Amino acid sequence: MALESTGKISSRLEVLRQRFLERAKEDIQQLRTLAEKTRRGEFSADGLLFCYQSLHKLSGSAGTFGLPELGEAAKALEKELKGQAESLGALDDVLSHPIDIPDGFADGIDALAELVEVKSQAVDQDSSFTEEPTTYKGSQGMQVSVLLVEKGEERLAMLEKEMAPYGFSFTSVSCDDAGALGNALAEIRGAAAILCRESALSDVMSVRNTSFEESSRRRLPVICLGSDNSFHNRYRVAEAGAFAFFPDPVDIPELAERIESLAIERSASVQGRVLIVEDDAELAEHYCLVLQATGIEAQAVSEPLHLMSNLADFEPDIVLMDVQIGEYSGVTLARLIRFEPRWLSLPIIYLSSEDDPENQLEALSKGADEFLMKPVSDSYLVRSVRIRCYRARQLSELMNRDSLTGLLKHSLIKEEVEKELARCRRSGHRSCVVMLDLDHFKTVNDTWGHSQGDIVIRTLANLLRNRLRETDMIGRYGGEEFLVVLPECDVSAAKDLIRGIGESFSELSFVAGESSFQVTFSAGIAEINDFTNGEDALNAADQALYERKRGGRDGVTVYSSK
């Protein structure tokens, strides 16, 4: 979803806060009515369960809406009822029977009512959620920007020239002018990294750390170049905050790969997808707004009956779930989610006011992974969710991405062809599929070794990512073969694009000891719309690739049925 303005988000959160206060007053009035029955000895088991559930919701949500004292007081009363409520939960035949209640319970409810009246007039809502980072939509094609930071007479122009064929966008600035460096950092967009000599590292880190907040994902990774490759010097560079160090003479393909991986990892497209299972409507909406304001996709489920269908439709990175959702147990729901094999690795995090370590461990043993304690501040919620989503996506990529290139695996990129064909039929646009194959790759491996062959494969993967659009999908089809899906791209545009990438790739020089070599690739293109299924489109692109190989390699051939 598009990020909303800070003012609009703040306004919606204020509306939620007022709704919570009104609901809290209504809930406490009902609690007071029941509390009066305790004074007359007329309190029943169903009344106790109602009080317990209402207090549980208050204790978990009041702090989020600026009433921590109310939350703490509700928590204390909730604990007084906890043992009886849990023992009565499954005994429907006794719910209407009278029941004893702890002494002082009614007085505690009266104190809650007073807290709502007094504290609701002076709420200082935490506004730390207002950070609005730039997010980068897309999963494959993404040009990486490199900020070259020079110092004194040291220039990086030769390095820029050597790396130009990789498709990076370069900007040079001197660290001798802190203002200019700060402006360059502020203006840079998308996936990016900073490259400097170690003589400039201290200045670069100082300006970078001043320009971006500690928690910001826009703190660009810094890669340092230097002549001293000793342990002590590398330790000093790491201590200064650099993400990587490359000694002279610089291994250009390795440097290009590191820039690519660090920049894309740090820029992260959508920062996560979170399903919130919470029966408190205002609290669930509050969590969603806070997360969405910082680029995290969030969706709430208040009715457990819809939980499994929402999981299938939304496909979250993590689930945040209360331990008690109305009459349903979150612990049981976690176990239910694990019934389906596809959700066995889905992180389930309890977001609950449960503070007893033994009860937490017992709940975790039933199928969840972690506890976050309510009330949770907006800033802590955002940072916690980011960290957990990031880790979940790392694990997901290990399963779905090719380990050498980071591109989609064979089966997944084939699925993208079918998906794009379906989109073409819905919208009527033209799209292409491209099959690429490195020329004479067996000779590369036999002559220079398989480690050099791996470098060639990774280099082509990085070049494709840099030169293609964010909507284009790239996969390693097998060995030295790649498959690319180009949505809304006709044959003529696809041919020009792939030919240009091929020319850039052929200019790259791979160093092996005292020698160097160059590699080319061949490509076959087919227009997806011309076929009834994705498999036929793939076969056509493969046939065009074969014709290109027979015709001399190092070029692009478009499929023709004639």
Side-chain angles (χ1 to χ4, degrees), residues 1-11 127-136 186 189 212-213 215-218 271 289-296 382 386:
M1 72 173 263
L3 296 185
E4 300 180 68
S5 69
T6 297
K8 188 173 181 181
I9 293 289
S10 297
S11 176
S127 60
S128 56
F129 72 91
T130 55
E131 174 190 0
E132 293 190 29
T134 306
T135 56
Y136 314 104
R189 294 290 181 269
F212 302 112
E213 294 295 330
S215 61
S216 172
R217 291 191 59 80
R218 288 296 297 145
Q271 295 182 24
L289 285 173
V290 166
L291 294 174
Q292 290 166 355
T294 59
I296 298 167
V382 169
R386 278 181 177 163

Side-chain angles (χ1 to χ4, degrees), residues 393-511:
R393 290 193 166 200
Q394 278 187 318
L395 295 174
S396 176
E397 289 197 357
L398 285 175
M399 295 184 290
N400 298 326
R401 305 274 175 166
D402 170 63
S403 60
L404 180 62
T405 64
L407 301 178
L408 291 176
K409 289 183 177 179
H410 176 96
S411 59
L412 294 177
I413 190 63
K414 284 186 68 175
E415 288 179 11
E416 291 300 324
V417 180
E418 296 288 357
K419 290 178 183 177
E420 185 55 33
L421 177 58
R423 286 191 287 265
C424 288
R425 287 171 176 162
R426 288 196 301 269
S427 67
H429 65 255
R430 314 296 291 180
S431 297
C432 289
V433 59
V434 185
M435 191 80 77
L436 296 90
D437 186 79
L438 289 163
D439 296 327
H440 303 297
F441 191 69
K442 184 177 184 301
T443 301
V444 171
N445 280 334
D446 291 345
T447 305
W448 309 108
H450 286 274
S451 61
Q452 286 294 324
D454 287 348
I455 290 174
V456 172
I457 289 174
R458 289 200 304 266
T459 299
L460 179 54
N462 292 341
L463 182 61
L464 289 170
R465 262 192 295 258
N466 266 288
R467 294 288 291 273
L468 296 177
R469 303 167 300 175
E470 295 179 20
T471 52
D472 300 330
M473 303 299 291
I474 320 164
R476 188 179 180 196
Y477 201 63
E480 66 271 26
E481 276 191 312
F482 296 79
L483 186 64
V484 179
V485 179
L486 302 173
E488 300 185 49
C489 181
D490 61 28
V491 166
S492 176
K495 185 175 182 180
D496 290 343
L497 173 65
I498 300 301
R499 181 186 288 125
I501 295 174
E503 291 171 354
S504 295
F505 184 69
S506 67
E507 295 172 4
L508 298 175
S509 182
F510 298 93
V511 178

Side-chain angles (χ1 to χ4, degrees), residues 272-278 288 291 296-302 306-322 337 343 346-349 385 389:
R273 296 168 65 83
V274 184
L275 188 68
I276 300 168
V277 186
E278 171 64 65
C288 284
L291 294 174
I296 298 167
E297 292 187 17
Q299 188 177 104
V301 179
S302 58
H306 303 146
L307 174 58
M308 301 310 293
S309 60
N310 275 268
L311 278 173
D313 293 340
F314 189 56
E315 296 186 342
D317 295 309
I318 65 173
V319 170
L320 293 180
M321 183 159 60
D322 199 349
I337 290 172
W343 303 126
L346 175 68
I348 300 174
I349 300 162
V385 165
C389 284

